[in-house]
Amino acid sequence: MRTLKLTLCAALALAGALLPLGAWAQAPALIDELQVGIWPEYDRPAVLYLYAIQLAPGTKLPASFSLSIPAAAGEPLAVAKQGPDGKLYDAQYTRQVQGDWASITVQTDSLSNRMEYYGSLDIQGQSRTIVWTWQGGPALGDLSFKVQQPIGATGLSVTPGSTQTTTESDGLTYYSGDLGPVAAATTSHIEVTYTRSTSLLTTALLPTAVPASSEPPISPAGAAKGALPSL
């Protein structure tokens, strides 16, 4: 089974001619729900972050919204919108760096959007620590998360709040939780800790080998593939 990250990267394609930046709505849209996928040691010795961004029902489209990610992450791995056919297409965006953070402003004509980027993983011997930070920004109607446990990891713990544990069809264990609404300009943090005695990546240990994310990107003229993945 192809995983969420690879499905997203394979799905991205341009939906035809892009509108110029000036043609898009200037007022930021209300984010009704932000789901954060946290996948450590998946296909790099780092953390893959996957954002599922749902704009509020009734949002006038086209619209724009902005999210901050660490400047050290560089350009996002993927920024996408859901097309009328349920598939994913490249979304236009701009990146503006301010100190340690980069503001990613996305222009979209869809209520359902996606973003992916890599973040750092603190490795001290067999101990791993991840700290994800929401650096303020727009109000969120709901903030939830889903952590993928690397193969061979033990003692995984997520702070804050209680988590629900599931084993999904890919055979991997996931820890999910809901932090509820987040007020505008309010910071939030999610910390994940676990131990692991191997440095092999999850993709190398899955029963069916999965190509690494460094595979060449789909041609901008290529057709979108696959349905909209979910966290």
Side-chain angles (χ1 to χ4, degrees):
M1 173 181 174
R2 300 277 293 177
T3 57
L4 170 62
K5 203 282 306 173
L6 294 173
T7 301
L8 172 54
C9 287
L12 294 178
L14 288 176
L18 293 172
L19 292 174
L21 290 177
W24 296 88
Q26 298 301 309
L30 174 65
I31 297 178
D32 190 50
E33 183 178 8
L34 174 61
Q35 295 176 289
V36 181
I38 302 175
W39 292 12
E41 299 186 83
Y42 175 69
D43 59 354
R44 296 186 189 181
V47 184
L48 176 64
Y49 291 103
L50 309 101
Y51 287 5
I53 305 141
Q54 188 70 26
L55 303 185
T59 297
K60 185 177 179 181
L61 299 174
S64 66
F65 63 89
S66 297
L67 301 177
S68 292
I69 66 173
E75 295 290 336
L77 178 65
V79 179
K81 59 185 179 181
Q82 180 184 7
D85 56 4
K87 298 178 182 179
L88 291 176
Y89 297 88
D90 283 335
Q92 234 184 338
Y93 74 91
T94 58
R95 177 177 178 266
Q96 183 175 5
V97 176
Q98 297 178 333
D100 293 335
W101 294 89
S103 178
I104 309 298
T105 300
V106 182
Q107 291 79 39
T108 183
D109 54 7
S110 174
L111 296 180
S112 298
N113 302 273
R114 298 289 188 268
M115 184 187 301
E116 295 180 2
Y117 68 94
Y118 285 102
S120 61
L121 173 66
D122 183 16
I123 301 177
Q124 302 291 334
Q126 296 187 5
S127 299
R128 282 27 173 194
T129 302
I130 303 161
V131 179
W132 175 83
T133 299
W134 172 253
Q135 188 65 15
L140 304 176
D142 186 71
L143 173 61
S144 60
F145 63 86
K146 191 172 186 179
V147 180
Q148 182 189 86
Q149 178 173 289
I151 295 176
T154 59
L156 191 146
S157 175
V158 183
T159 305
S162 59
T163 58
Q164 191 173 41
T165 306
T166 58
T167 300
E168 301 196 354
S169 57
D170 56 8
L172 300 177
T173 300
Y174 292 82
Y175 295 75
S176 56
D178 196 320
L179 302 182
V182 178
T186 301
T187 59
S188 293
H189 305 275
I190 298 172
E191 181 173 335
V192 180
T193 59
Y194 62 93
T195 59
R196 195 166 185 253
S197 60
T198 180
S199 59
L200 290 174
L201 302 173
T202 292
T203 50
L205 296 171
L206 287 170
T208 302
V210 179
S213 65
S214 56
E215 63 185 15
I218 186 171
S219 167
K225 302 176 183 178
L228 181 70
S230 59
L231 290 179

